[in-house]
Each structure stands twice: as C-alpha cells, then as structure tokens.
Amino acid sequence: MIASTKLAKAQRAMQAGKEYGSANSEIFQHAPPETPSKRKLFVVVSSDKGLCGGIHSSVSKATRRALAGSDQADPASPVMVIGDKSKGQLSRVLGQNMTMSFNQIGRDIPTFADAAGVADLIVKSGVEYDSVSIVYNKFVSAISYEPTTVEVTNEKLLKESPGFRAYEMEDDFAKDLAEFALANAIYAALVEAHACEQSARRNAMDNASNNAKDMINKLTLQYNRGRQASITNELVDIITGASAL
Amino acid sequence: MSSATWRNVFTYNKYAQITERAVRQSLKETERVAAEKRGVTALRYQKWENGVGGAQVYLNPEEDKGLGKPAV
C-alpha cells in the first residue's frame, strides 16, 4: 500500500497534537471575548507538495468564502499562508490581503518548533488583529476531511474578557499566554492538516492506480479484439484468393 | 524575583524555545537524539506587499547549508 506507514505515523502525531489543541481551546471557551473580534488575521495551513487531491484547494476556497461573506470578516483582512501550494492559489485572488507566507513545513511531521517560529513571526510582524482565525483541514476519517477554522484571541481581548478578569494577576501573563496559545493552536492545526494531507495523498494515489489498471484492462481487450479481427480478415482474403485459383 | 527583562527583547515563544533547547541538551544520549528531532525546524518565510512577495528568508540561517540543526 502506498504511503500507509507514513500515514500511520502522521495519525499518531495528530492524536498527540490534538490534545494540545483541545487543552488550548479550553481557555478560550472559559474566557470568551465580550465583543466579537472585528479585525481577524487569517492563517491558512497547507503544504508545499502536491499530488494530494483537493487538500490545498479546499483550504483556499474556505478562506475565500470566509472573506467574501462580509458578515464574517472584513474583505481586507490580512491573510498569512503556510505552504507554497495555497500561496500560489491565493496570491492570484487575494494578493492584496497577503501579508506573509511560510514554507518548508510539512516535509516531515510538523514540530512544535515550526509552530513556535510561525507564531513568533506573526506576533513580531506588527500586523494588527483582534483574533487569529486558523483555517486548516480537519481529519474526519481516513477517506474524508473538511476545512475548519479555529479562533485564537489576542491578549487585549483575552484580558478584557470577564472570565479572565475573575483572576487578579499582573498584566504580563496575558501577553505570554496569548502568544503561547497561538503557537499551540498552530501546532495542533499543522499536525492535523499533515495527517489529512497524507491520507488524501494515499487515497489519490490509490484511485489513480486503480483507474490506470482499469484503463489498461479495457484497452488490452480492445487491442486483442482488433488484432483478432485483422487476422480473421487476412485469413478470409487468403482463403477466397486460394479458392479462386 | 525581579521583573523579567527578557520580555523587552523577545517573545514568550522564543523564551520557551531557548529553555526547550537547554532541556534537550541535558538529556541522556539516547533520549537526546530522539528529542533533538522534535526541535528541528527549517522554516522559511517571505513578506508580501501589494500582492508581490519579498525575498525568502530562512528563520534559522544555518539551516540552508545543513539539515537537522535544532531551532534557536
């Protein structure tokens, strides 16, 4: 089976990574922002390599839908892309919104160092945002995935939320927590998207192999029929020729 | 404890990565090799202005020559 050991490894990493993601999002469930965030930064998670079916286009389409539906987000929201394939697709349509792009992620299982690097660059880039929407492919099963969004609020909204204010503490921690939570969320999204991509690649290659096999069989039958027909014609010619002598 | 001044220099993620590297390098040999793999990143990024991408920059400049150098 093509790529099934890679898929198993990716799925194991995904299970572990999802724990980080769910623990991370618990904070935001208990401390939801009072006012819905106005300025969203979209981070699109895909990868550099192709031959994986509709993975990159599904994420790109979901981002375009989110930006087109103006009730959800401002059409001029900044967009950051991880992965060259989606970068190519989105730069044609949303080129004006693109602020930064990342690549060289996804060759192997994504590490937390990758996610921390991305989160670091986002925070240092100086782009203004109230919350970050991470668009990635959610692993539904070994043969299906769907694009989803995960939101991470920034330190200002976190500090102002009533759930957070119930605790008295120095202000510094909200900034650290917001940055670390962003890295965690990106990590969870990266590993899940990687697992989706491996399974999609395996399915796409299986389908391609099966289609090619079917085509070979059909064409072989056609070839043999044609060959036998021409032999029969030649025999008929010879026989009629012989009988005429 | 005096207030930490590292917050003026780098973000919490960078701080965490430095401590991660210290912990990894202090492990026993076999565990250390496994743990070093988790700290590897070959990230490249580029800034975009008006639909045009800038130059691609390696986050860790040693990465472009060799492989497997840990982050930070």
Side-chain angles (χ1 to χ4, degrees):
Chain A
M1 281 283 274
I2 304 165
S4 53
T5 48
K6 257 198 183 176
L7 172 62
K9 202 167 128 191
Q11 266 189 283
R12 274 200 308 267
M14 179 187 75
Q15 297 299 341
K18 266 175 108 140
E19 299 296 329
Y20 272 114
S22 50
N24 194 44
S25 46
E26 262 203 68
I27 308 175
F28 299 107
Q29 277 158 16
H30 290 289
E34 267 178 355
T35 58
S37 67
K38 278 177 245 94
R39 193 140 169 86
K40 289 195 202 178
L41 168 67
F42 283 89
V43 175
V44 184
V45 174
S46 77
S47 85
D48 301 343
K49 298 205 196 140
L51 291 180
C52 45
I55 289 276
H56 308 299
S57 49
S58 89
V59 182
S60 308
K61 269 191 224 159
T63 314
R64 279 162 56 189
R65 265 201 309 260
L67 282 176
S70 54
D71 56 334
Q72 279 193 42
D74 180 19
S77 307
V79 165
M80 293 190 181
V81 186
I82 301 177
D84 285 334
K85 291 286 171 187
S86 278
K87 174 180 86 170
Q89 289 169 358
L90 284 175
S91 66
R92 269 169 287 179
V93 191
L94 297 172
Q96 297 303 320
N97 302 41
M98 269 233 267
T99 2
M100 225 194 300
S101 72
F102 309 88
N103 54 14
Q104 310 294 329
I105 293 185
R107 286 192 175 190
D108 203 352
I109 313 264
T111 58
F112 190 77
D114 290 327
V118 171
D120 220 19
L121 285 166
I122 292 180
V123 168
K124 282 200 296 213
S125 74
V127 175
E128 302 264 323
Y129 57 88
D130 289 334
S131 74
V132 180
S133 278
I134 306 176
V135 186
Y136 67 103
N137 283 307
K138 192 167 130 99
F139 192 89
V140 175
S141 81
I143 46 170
S144 84
Y145 55 86
E146 57 171 11
T148 33
T149 322
V150 141
E151 259 203 53
V152 179
T153 48
N154 81 342
E155 74 164 294
K156 206 159 63 75
L157 279 189
L158 190 60
K159 257 198 294 202
E160 289 163 12
S161 108
F164 201 76
R165 267 193 302 200
Y167 297 91
E168 296 177 358
M169 59 182 107
E170 298 170 22
D171 278 348
D172 279 327
F173 296 140
K175 183 162 176 293
D176 286 348
L177 183 58
E179 290 168 4
F180 189 55
L182 181 60
N184 268 337
I186 292 180
Y187 176 68
L190 278 178
V191 279
E192 193 157 359
H194 181 77
C196 285
E197 184 194 326
Q198 295 291 37
S199 88
R201 188 167 287 139
R202 191 185 70 162
N203 291 335
M205 290 187 151
D206 273 351
N207 288 340
S209 306
N210 289 340
N211 291 344
K213 257 187 244 168
D214 286 344
M215 216 190 301
I216 288 175
N217 288 339
K218 249 196 326 196
L219 290 174
T220 310
L221 283 175
Q222 226 177 328
Y223 170 70
N224 283 334
R225 255 183 250 131
R227 190 174 55 90
Q228 287 166 352
S230 76
I231 290 175
T232 311
N233 285 339
E234 281 179 27
L235 278 175
V236 165
D237 287 342
I238 294 170
I239 292 167
T240 47
S243 69
L245 288 171
Chain B
M1 178 108 80
S2 64
S3 70
T5 50
W6 57 263
R7 287 198 180 87
N8 300 333
V9 185
F10 43 72
T11 64
Y12 179 77
N13 285 320
K14 191 82 177 162
Y15 173 72
Q17 277 184 280
I18 295 173
T19 53
E20 284 164 27
R21 189 175 76 146
V23 170
R24 281 190 201 114
Q25 285 176 340
S26 64
L27 290 174
K28 228 166 41 159
E29 187 58 38
T30 43
E31 275 84 357
R32 189 179 64 81
V33 169
E36 290 286 345
K37 287 203 204 101
R38 290 195 280 266
V40 169
T41 176
L43 189 58
R44 277 197 324 191
Y45 67 96
Q46 55 177 160
K47 301 214 162 131
W48 284 68
E49 301 265 338
N50 279 328
V52 178
Q56 298 224 355
V57 180
Y58 278 100
L59 186 60
N60 302 312
E62 317 93 73
E63 290 296 332
D64 55 359
K65 303 250 173 42
L67 294 160
K69 255 206 127 191
V72 178

